[in-house]
Amino acid sequence: MKKSGYSDLIKKSPLKPIQDHMEISQQSVAELLIFLDHAVNSRWEDATSSRKNISDLENKADKLKAETRGLLTKGIFLAVQRSDLLDLIKLADEIPNTAKDISGLMLGRRMDIPSTISNSFINFAKEASQISSVAGDAVGHLEELFRFSFGGNVADRMQELILELDNLEKTNDQTEINLRAELFKLEADLPPIDVMFLYDIINKIGELSDRSQQVGHRISLIASR
Amino acid sequence: MEVIALYGPYLLISGCIFGFLMAWGIGANDVANAMGPSVGAKALTLSQAILVACIFEFAGAYLAGGEVTSTIRKGIIDPVLLTDSPELLVFGMMASLLSAGVWLIIASFKGWPVSTTHSIVGAIVGFAAVGISAESVSWSKVGSIVSSWVISPIMAGIISYLIFRSVQSLILNTQNPFDNAKKYVPGYIFLVGFVISMVTLLKGLKHIGLTLNFQESLTYSILIGISIALLGSLILRRVKDTYEKRGDVVFDGVEKVFGILMVFTACAMAFAHGSNDVANAVGPLAAIVNVVQSGGEVAAKSSMPWWILLLGGGGIVAGLATLGYKVIETVGRNITELTPSRGFAAVLAAAATVVLGSGTGLPLSTTHTLVGAVLGVGLARGISAIDLSVVGRILISWVVTLPVGAALSILFFYIFKSIFS
């Protein structure tokens, strides 16, 4: 059959798989919350199956990342900067990876969260999940943003989301500081190696929020160009 | 002279068969490029697209196809030089139809984006320059045709860029895109009606006995534009700002409004395509028929029999019905990314450019014009991803088609010459 000149000209939009990828990333963070709840209450069997879900989601995300990159080959002329989209997918892909790391580490070491800080700990993770869902919301507007040519209501909504993201991230930073302070008070009474890993987990959850925030900023850059 | 007298009916019948096959090929392949965006954007269903194509391709061919047909028939070669050997013109035109047809079939199987127009023009220039004499070719005309092939995609690109930029600032980038779409889309519909009728009235209708001066054409075109825009507004009233699923694409209110607009641009595109591309099949046939029917006289001032256009139009419809609908479906499926708000800008720009070509008697490639128009929308950041390597491939096929079309037609020309003499 004849390949007509211009039906080959118009390629599949890379925006859809990027949105799908972010959707999966959000799901992995939501699943991480479930995992943490099991872990804090030492329900390790439930935690194992939850960890499996996170790992599956991470695999799915990897496939979507590969698909997106496949659509961003050289010689493609895009409505947005190719490098922006590549950066975006790279940053976004660290979210499910980090969720997988956290769950893997905690499950492998059967890590106990001291009951005095467990509430703060869960709260900290919840904030991280909220940040990723706002970032996901922003990414979810990417296609709409393109449809309305990067202007109008969608662009305004996007900037609102970015502001919200910044505020949440500020709160989350403070929560992290407080959580570390609480742990610092306890650390003398806990096994040193466990404490080391606890700090590591807190770090990683902090990274989760950072990545989500960076994703949001990349989106606002795309929107404003 | 004797050859014509002896074999006249055979030449006529085989000319008709070749012409019909050529028209069939245009219907099977080329129409898909003209209608593809509208089907891909889900502005028209497949059967609606075929209906629109049948009606407007035919209308375009009959009402506005005269200028390009006459270029193909007697603009590229000077028939007066062939008064002594009219059979050469008949052989040459038959060879041209055959070579363009063969080349298009090969290209279709190989998947090369080859233009019917380029094939037929290359073929006519080929047989005339080598088979007759280099002086028989009107090189200045050929020069203007070739430069129009360069200019038309660029022009379509600039127009589509400007149209889409206006859509951005008037409709998409506003706080209330849906209301603005309803407000401004009738204006674009006016533009569709105005441009098409202006070019047609100004240049096309002499052969059906209607001669209008510039002032009259302008007045009538504005009236036609306004009435079409009013019709559009009536239809637009029923469009609601709700989401609607068509196939696997979700349409919001704005795209639904542009979907209505795209029905009009689809008609314009079919009309433009008919007015320009039918000539590729009908032009050579008209030259053959003229010579044979006049018993060997190469009459430059003869009119074209009406049944030739009927044959051309019929061939296109036959091509559409047998294979074209499938190709339209394929092309449409591949370009669903071109939503109505983008697709209309590309199609309108291409249709306007092509119809302008038809009015000035320049045979253009509809497909290449559309490629230029799509690139224009892309440059305005209207299309999320465009593969620029395809443009290179089109350029190569462009360059290759001319010598190949010429070589094939020279070959067929000498074969015919040896068979009949």
Side-chain angles (χ1 to χ4, degrees):
Chain A
M1 196 55 66
K2 177 171 173 169
K3 278 191 212 151
S4 88
Y6 71 111
S7 75
D8 288 347
L9 192 67
I10 298 158
K11 289 285 165 194
K12 197 173 170 240
S13 165
L15 304 180
K16 187 79 177 71
I18 288 180
Q19 289 188 188
D20 291 348
H21 178 278
M22 193 62 197
E23 178 92 37
I24 299 287
S25 301
Q26 266 175 271
Q27 281 176 27
S28 76
V29 179
E31 187 65 43
L32 181 67
L33 277 188
I34 298 171
F35 171 88
L36 291 177
D37 189 51
H38 293 317
V40 165
N41 295 301
S42 300
R43 292 191 297 264
W44 292 113
E45 254 174 48
D46 292 339
T48 309
S49 76
S50 184
R51 145 88 187 165
K52 168 103 178 41
N53 290 343
I54 294 173
S55 174
D56 289 348
L57 286 167
E58 197 267 340
N59 277 338
K60 263 196 214 168
D62 270 350
K63 280 195 190 107
L64 284 165
K65 183 177 80 169
E67 188 193 332
T68 309
R69 289 196 168 155
L71 293 173
L72 293 172
T73 48
K74 277 192 180 155
I76 294 281
F77 179 80
L78 295 156
V80 293
Q81 292 273 336
R82 179 168 169 266
S83 56
D84 280 348
L85 290 183
L86 285 170
D87 280 353
L88 179 66
I89 193 82
K90 194 176 151 208
L91 285 168
D93 197 53
E94 283 176 31
I95 295 171
N97 282 344
T98 310
K100 192 182 163 192
D101 279 358
I102 293 169
S103 57
L105 197 59
M106 288 184 73
L107 187 68
R109 294 183 52 82
R110 296 281 191 272
M111 274 171 74
D112 263 333
I113 309 293
S115 55
T116 41
I117 64 162
S118 68
N119 273 344
S120 310
F121 179 77
I122 292 289
N123 187 35
F124 177 54
K126 270 187 183 154
E127 281 180 15
S129 156
Q130 206 190 345
I131 292 173
S132 91
S133 98
V134 175
D137 205 1
V139 174
H141 279 80
L142 200 54
E143 234 185 357
E144 202 183 346
L145 190 71
F146 161 73
R147 272 198 292 130
F148 290 99
S149 289
F150 309 92
N153 288 329
V154 201
D156 296 348
R157 173 83 187 116
M158 199 70 113
Q159 295 311 328
E160 278 167 28
L161 285 172
I162 306 304
L163 271 180
E164 193 185 342
L165 205 57
D166 285 344
N167 287 333
L168 285 172
E169 171 66 15
K170 252 179 230 154
T171 319
N172 190 243
D173 277 346
Q174 194 52 51
T175 313
E176 183 170 355
I177 292 168
N178 295 344
L179 182 60
R180 280 169 183 279
E182 282 178 56
L183 184 57
F184 178 69
K185 278 184 210 151
L186 298 176
E187 67 179 29
D189 304 327
L190 296 167
I193 295 193
D194 285 3
V195 172
M196 250 180 59
F197 277 101
L198 263 176
Y199 277 120
D200 192 29
I201 293 292
I202 291 172
N203 256 342
K204 284 196 155 68
I205 295 176
E207 260 171 44
L208 220 50
S209 321
D210 283 348
R211 289 293 167 267
S212 301
Q213 197 197 14
Q214 284 167 342
V215 164
H217 277 264
R218 193 51 68 172
I219 289 282
S220 81
L221 205 63
I222 291 171
S224 62
R225 265 188 191 155
Chain B
M1 293 285 184
E2 295 144 38
V3 179
I4 303 285
L6 211 57
Y7 300 107
Y10 301 105
L11 293 172
L12 199 64
I13 289 167
S14 37
C16 285
I17 292 171
F18 293 158
F20 185 83
L21 285 179
M22 191 72 194
W24 179 87
I26 294 170
N29 253 325
D30 288 15
V31 177
N33 290 339
M35 301 308 292
S38 313
V39 175
K42 305 272 192 300
L44 293 175
T45 64
L46 187 57
S47 39
Q48 285 167 343
I50 289 166
L51 189 70
V52 165
C54 287
I55 296 170
F56 285 91
E57 290 275 343
F58 194 84
Y62 187 67
L63 295 176
E67 295 286 325
V68 183
T69 306
S70 106
T71 301
I72 300 277
R73 183 162 65 112
K74 57 188 186 189
I76 297 172
I77 335 168
D78 188 356
V80 180
L81 287 174
L82 291 169
T83 328
D84 296 332
S85 46
E87 73 276 5
L88 293 185
L89 185 65
V90 174
F91 297 154
M93 286 300 181
M94 277 170 56
S96 299
L97 282 173
L98 204 57
S99 85
V102 167
W103 176 234
L104 286 176
I105 289 169
I106 295 171
S108 295
F109 274 108
K110 294 281 184 185
W112 297 328
V114 162
S115 153
T116 316
T117 306
H118 296 175
S119 315
I120 203 90
V121 172
I124 292 174
V125 172
F127 94 78
V130 177
I132 301 168
S133 73
E135 293 90 67
S136 66
V137 179
S138 164
W139 292 106
S140 66
K141 189 77 191 171
V142 173
S144 66
I145 290 172
V146 171
S147 52
S148 80
W149 292 344
V150 179
I151 293 164
S152 58
I154 296 172
M155 184 175 150
I158 294 172
I159 296 175
S160 71
Y161 179 87
L162 293 176
I163 293 175
F164 190 64
R165 287 310 290 251
S166 75
V167 169
Q168 284 176 329
S169 54
L170 291 176
I171 298 167
L172 296 176
N173 279 357
T174 59
Q175 294 302 323
N176 210 333
F178 180 72
D179 289 344
N180 284 327
K182 275 192 154 183
K183 189 165 134 198
Y184 289 113
V185 161
Y188 291 109
I189 296 178
F190 169 81
L191 218 59
V192 176
F194 174 74
V195 170
I196 300 293
S197 44
M198 187 67 192
V199 176
T200 309
L201 291 178
L202 214 53
K203 279 286 180 184
L205 294 183
K206 282 169 202 145
H207 66 290
I208 57 169
L210 193 64
T211 316
L212 300 169
N213 63 30
F214 184 83
Q215 200 62 45
E216 286 167 328
S217 302
L218 189 68
T219 315
Y220 286 125
S221 303
I222 290 175
L223 285 176
I224 291 172
I226 289 174
S227 35
I228 292 176
L230 282 176
L231 176 69
S233 314
L234 278 179
I235 304 171
L236 282 177
R237 272 198 202 158
R238 296 194 313 204
V239 179
K240 300 264 182 303
D241 192 9
T242 49
Y243 286 88
E244 187 185 314
K245 209 166 152 58
R246 295 183 198 174
D248 45 5
V249 187
V250 179
F251 275 59
D252 60 10
V254 177
E255 288 298 341
K256 281 196 291 187
V257 172
F258 281 110
I260 303 285
L261 172 54
M262 220 182 170
V263 175
F264 289 91
T265 54
C267 298
M269 189 72 237
F271 186 92
H273 183 256
S275 71
N276 209 294
D277 276 39
V278 169
N280 293 332
V282 159
L285 178 59
I288 296 168
V289 170
N290 264 324
V291 173
V292 174
Q293 281 193 337
S294 63
E297 235 170 282
V298 182
K301 273 265 173 208
S302 53
S303 65
M304 191 167 54
W306 63 273
W307 61 265
I308 291 185
L309 276 170
L310 203 65
L311 192 89
I316 285 188
V317 173
L320 259 168
T322 48
L323 202 60
Y325 68 97
K326 266 189 183 164
V327 187
I328 294 180
E329 206 181 7
T330 314
V331 172
R333 211 179 18 244
N334 285 341
I335 50 173
T336 45
E337 304 284 343
L338 201 65
T339 56
S341 58
R342 278 74 177 159
F344 108 84
V347 173
L348 175 55
T353 308
V354 171
V355 96
L356 205 64
S358 304
T360 42
L362 290 168
L364 304 176
S365 159
T366 312
T367 308
H368 291 192
T369 311
L370 261 167
V371 167
V374 166
L375 288 179
V377 179
L379 282 177
R381 300 213 298 165
I383 296 165
S384 54
I386 289 179
D387 189 351
L388 289 181
S389 68
V390 173
V391 179
R393 228 167 61 213
I394 289 172
L395 277 179
I396 292 169
S397 75
W398 197 102
V399 174
V400 170
T401 292
L402 293 176
V404 172
L408 281 172
S409 91
I410 292 164
L411 181 74
F412 288 128
F413 177 73
Y414 282 114
I415 291 175
F416 284 132
K417 216 174 146 182
S418 64
I419 290 176
F420 289 105
S421 21

